[in-house]
Amino acid sequence: MSPNMRIRQIHRWLSIAFTLAVIANIVALTMQIQATWIGLMAFVPLIPLLATGLYLFALPYVGRRNNDVNEVNA
């Protein structure tokens, strides 16, 4: 499996974990449970989700830049 595919897979699993954490937070708020750790639980997958998302967002632009440099040098 290529590194890009691995990062894409990690990003997918992190998004599922983030979604579940947000749902747990909404349920806790609906039940009026005042637990700060439930609210902060969403930040655990959010930070690596941001990093992998930015990496995946930049991939096409970095690849295009490398192709443009190669065409100019040819």
Side-chain angles (χ1 to χ4, degrees), residues 9-61:
Q9 189 70 26
I10 290 169
H11 186 76
R12 287 182 187 134
W13 283 106
L14 285 170
S15 66
I16 291 170
F18 176 71
T19 303
L20 291 175
V22 169
I23 290 170
N25 192 13
I26 292 170
V27 168
L29 289 174
T30 304
M31 297 173 61
Q32 297 180 350
I33 298 173
Q34 296 296 326
T36 306
W37 66 270
I38 296 175
L40 295 175
M41 188 171 59
F43 286 111
V44 173
L46 184 62
I47 294 170
L49 186 66
L50 174 68
T52 56
L54 289 173
Y55 175 79
L56 292 172
F57 178 77
L59 272 179
Y61 299 106

